[in-house]
Amino acid sequence: MDASAGGDSTGKGEDDDESSSSSVDGVVQTTLDEFRERWQQELKKEPGTAQNVAVAEQDQNQNLSVEQRARALFLEGSEMERIGKVFEAMRLYRRAVQLVPDIEFRVYEKRTPAKQASGDVNAPSEIDALSNELLEVTLDEDDENLENVDLVLRFQNLLAKSRKLFERASGDRGLIVTSAHFSDLPMEVILYILRWVVSSDLDLRSMERFGRVCRGFYLLARDPEIWRRACVRLWGVNVGNLKGSPFAGWREMYINRPRVHFHGCYISRTSYLRYGENSFQDQFYRPVQLVEYYRYFRFFADGSVLMLTSAEEPQSCVGKLKPRSPVQNEILKGHYRLRNDELIIAVQRKRSNVQSQRPGRKKEIEAEFGQQTLYLELGIVSTAKRAFSQLHWRQYSMVQLRNSQETTTTFELNSSKYPTLFFSRVKSYHQESEGPLK
């Protein structure tokens, strides 16, 4: 019985070993099956991935070839522009931009000097730092109230950091140009150009428009020497001293001190009714005529003035007052002076009476009215829309010299016969500069 019991126990242990080994083999087989399935799935994905990579490389090569063609066209256009063939260059530029819109900047990046590429990549250049700083200032100015801010002082502080009055715009740095930029000119040359812009006719309006371009032009347009020359030319010896005046600078004096405008005419229209004589056939009929005429005054910076009285419309008369020395006899020439808010004008008129004594022979004798000199005093008045835009009559007299006798006649001023003169700008007066401001 002991032997049989021992045999039974030995058989049971062998059965336990076989069951445990079979369970381990099952786990290993399951793990291998899962690995084979993942491996097969990865093998199925590999051909597609390789195909996508090949397509991407093909697209990149195609884009690179398009950029190379655009680069070649752009460089060819630059060469055409250099030799003077502008139209061919424009055609090539257009084709290059159609292929790659930003080909200008890409060409510039490839032509960047090697010394800039060898520098510290992480450290921004001085120009880029300045551009970023100015950009930040511009973004801040959009939300900032600049009504009571001194822009001259503000721009001076900003430009003092860059040590440059102005420079190329950030978008123009990638352009290939064959001409010099305005910032390449010396400061003396730029100021001399501004004196030509102002000209001897004191076209300060053009210089103010010049100052709206950028910060640097804004500071140049406020150069005190140019404004001082303009004040001296306008008021002469009566300009006075800036220290004893209520003005902080020469520009403020020119803007706020009473003066006249030079880029147009002062015009007034006078109209009245004139009654005629009774008709012989009908005593109850009396004709009435409406008389209408215009007065024109044009002032020059050298102290001369032109005066014209005509029934023609302003469109046909302002052109006659463009030359400084007109040839028409009806245009009277004189001089004027500024005294505070008054304008004193002296205009001389000479008349001659030509009588024929014999056919083909004429003799000039003294005119019936002799030599006449007109003296006018006008008040300079400003309105809410425009400064110094009106002239009001204050005194009008005529001194007549005939047969060595002088007679003075003072006219009675009323609003119907001597209405207010209003300023009207004429664009053609300051299209050309006769000389620089001296």
Side-chain angles (χ1 to χ4, degrees):
M1 292 186 59
D2 296 337
S4 60
D8 294 338
S9 62
T10 304
K12 188 181 295 186
E14 291 177 356
D15 294 338
D16 295 337
D17 293 338
E18 290 177 0
S19 61
S20 62
S21 62
S22 61
S23 63
V24 172
D25 294 339
V27 172
V28 173
Q29 185 67 28
T30 304
T31 305
L32 290 175
D33 293 340
E34 292 177 357
F35 176 76
R36 289 191 186 95
E37 291 179 0
R38 290 198 303 269
W39 182 38
Q40 290 177 0
Q41 290 178 0
E42 291 178 359
L43 290 178
K44 292 180 180 179
K45 293 181 179 179
E46 284 184 359
T49 304
Q51 184 178 2
N52 294 334
V53 172
V55 173
E57 291 179 354
Q58 184 178 1
D59 295 340
Q60 184 177 2
N61 294 333
Q62 184 177 2
N63 294 334
L64 184 60
S65 61
V66 171
E67 181 179 352
Q68 291 177 352
R69 284 188 296 165
R71 174 183 171 84
L73 291 172
F74 188 86
L75 294 178
E76 185 179 357
S78 177
E79 182 66 21
M80 288 293 179
E81 183 181 1
R82 188 184 65 81
I83 63 179
K85 297 182 179 181
V86 182
F87 294 100
E88 291 81 356
M90 293 175 59
R91 180 176 57 83
L92 294 171
Y93 286 153
R94 189 180 297 108
R95 291 176 56 189
V97 172
Q98 288 176 353
L99 294 176
V100 180
D102 58 342
I103 186 63
E104 301 177 4
F105 304 101
R106 298 190 182 187
V107 171
Y108 175 76
E109 290 175 358
K110 291 185 178 182
R111 288 194 171 189
T112 303
K115 60 181 181 179
Q116 294 184 2
S118 61
D120 188 2
V121 179
N122 296 326
S125 62
E126 182 181 357
I127 297 178
D128 294 336
L130 175 62
S131 301
N132 295 332
E133 181 181 357
L134 294 180
L135 181 59
E136 292 176 0
V137 173
T138 304
L139 293 176
D140 294 337
E141 287 176 355
D142 294 339
D143 300 331
E144 185 180 359
N145 186 11
L146 301 176
E147 183 178 358
N148 297 324
V149 177
D150 188 358
L151 294 180
V152 176
L153 182 60
R154 181 184 181 89
F155 292 163
Q156 286 177 349
N157 294 333
L158 290 174
L159 297 175
K161 299 178 181 179
S162 63
R163 298 181 181 179
K164 292 182 180 180
L165 197 59
F166 40 77
E167 60 182 5
R168 298 178 185 269
S170 59
D172 296 341
R173 294 171 192 161
L175 299 178
I176 300 177
V177 295
T178 58
S179 58
H181 191 259
F182 197 81
S183 59
D184 299 333
L185 297 177
M187 189 59 58
E188 294 78 7
V189 177
I190 298 177
L191 292 177
Y192 187 72
I193 294 175
L194 273 183
R195 288 170 54 188
W196 270 97
V197 172
V198 177
S199 74
S200 57
D201 294 330
L202 296 183
D203 186 11
L204 276 305
R205 184 176 182 273
S206 297
M207 192 173 71
E208 287 292 304
R209 296 175 62 186
F210 169 84
R212 299 177 184 176
V213 177
C214 62
R215 294 184 177 94
F217 286 7
Y218 184 88
L219 295 177
L220 287 174
R222 277 146 182 80
D223 182 65
E225 179 62 22
I226 295 179
W227 290 97
R228 186 192 68 82
R229 291 172 181 264
C231 292
V232 172
R233 180 166 179 80
L234 181 57
W235 286 286
V237 296
N238 297 325
V239 66
N241 192 359
L242 187 61
K243 295 182 179 179
S245 64
F247 308 107
W250 295 107
R251 181 174 179 271
E252 183 179 351
M253 175 186 289
Y254 187 88
I255 293 177
N256 297 326
R257 188 171 175 177
R259 55 182 174 83
V260 291
H261 296 290
F262 305 115
H263 57 285
C265 293
Y266 288 88
I267 306 173
S268 69
R269 183 179 65 178
T270 305
S271 59
Y272 62 93
L273 298 177
R274 184 172 63 184
Y275 297 93
E277 298 181 355
N278 295 334
S279 175
F280 292 102
Q281 298 179 356
D282 188 359
Q283 295 295 327
F284 297 99
Y285 174 75
R286 188 178 183 181
V288 179
Q289 299 176 351
L290 176 62
V291 180
E292 187 177 74
Y293 62 92
Y294 297 86
R295 285 192 180 95
Y296 303 90
F297 286 89
R298 192 203 170 178
F299 300 94
F300 295 90
D302 60 353
S304 59
V305 60
L306 299 180
M307 177 180 175
L308 173 62
T309 303
S310 175
E312 298 181 3
E313 295 289 336
Q315 290 80 0
S316 58
C317 287
V318 294
K320 300 178 181 178
L321 301 176
K322 184 176 181 179
R324 197 180 301 269
S325 300
V327 296
Q328 293 86 348
N329 294 328
E330 63 269 17
I331 300 178
L332 306 182
K333 185 176 181 180
H335 298 275
Y336 72 92
R337 288 293 180 268
L338 292 171
R339 185 179 63 185
N340 297 329
D341 61 342
E342 290 184 348
L343 185 64
I344 302 175
I345 303 175
V347 178
Q348 191 174 20
R349 176 170 56 188
K350 293 182 180 180
R351 294 181 179 178
S352 60
N353 187 14
V354 180
Q355 295 180 351
S356 299
Q357 294 181 346
R358 296 179 183 178
R361 184 179 179 183
K362 296 181 180 180
K363 181 179 179 181
E364 185 175 346
I365 62 175
E366 185 178 359
E368 178 183 359
F369 298 99
Q371 180 180 347
Q372 296 179 351
T373 304
L374 307 177
Y375 294 96
L376 301 85
E377 291 187 10
L378 304 174
I380 304 174
V381 180
S382 301
T383 60
K385 295 183 178 180
R386 177 179 291 179
F388 323 126
S389 60
Q390 296 182 7
L391 297 179
H392 293 184
W393 293 84
R394 295 185 178 179
Q395 186 177 353
Y396 185 23
S397 61
M398 180 182 64
V399 178
Q400 184 177 4
L401 181 62
R402 183 177 60 179
N403 297 330
S404 302
Q405 294 183 357
E406 185 176 295
T407 306
T408 302
T409 305
T410 302
F411 299 96
E412 182 181 357
L413 302 179
N414 53 63
S415 58
S416 60
K417 292 184 179 180
Y418 300 95
T420 302
L421 293 105
F422 296 90
F423 177 77
S424 178
R425 180 188 169 216
V426 182
K427 296 182 179 179
S428 61
Y429 282 176
H430 281 170
Q431 288 182 348
E432 299 177 357
S433 297
E434 298 180 357
L437 176 63
K438 298 181 179 179

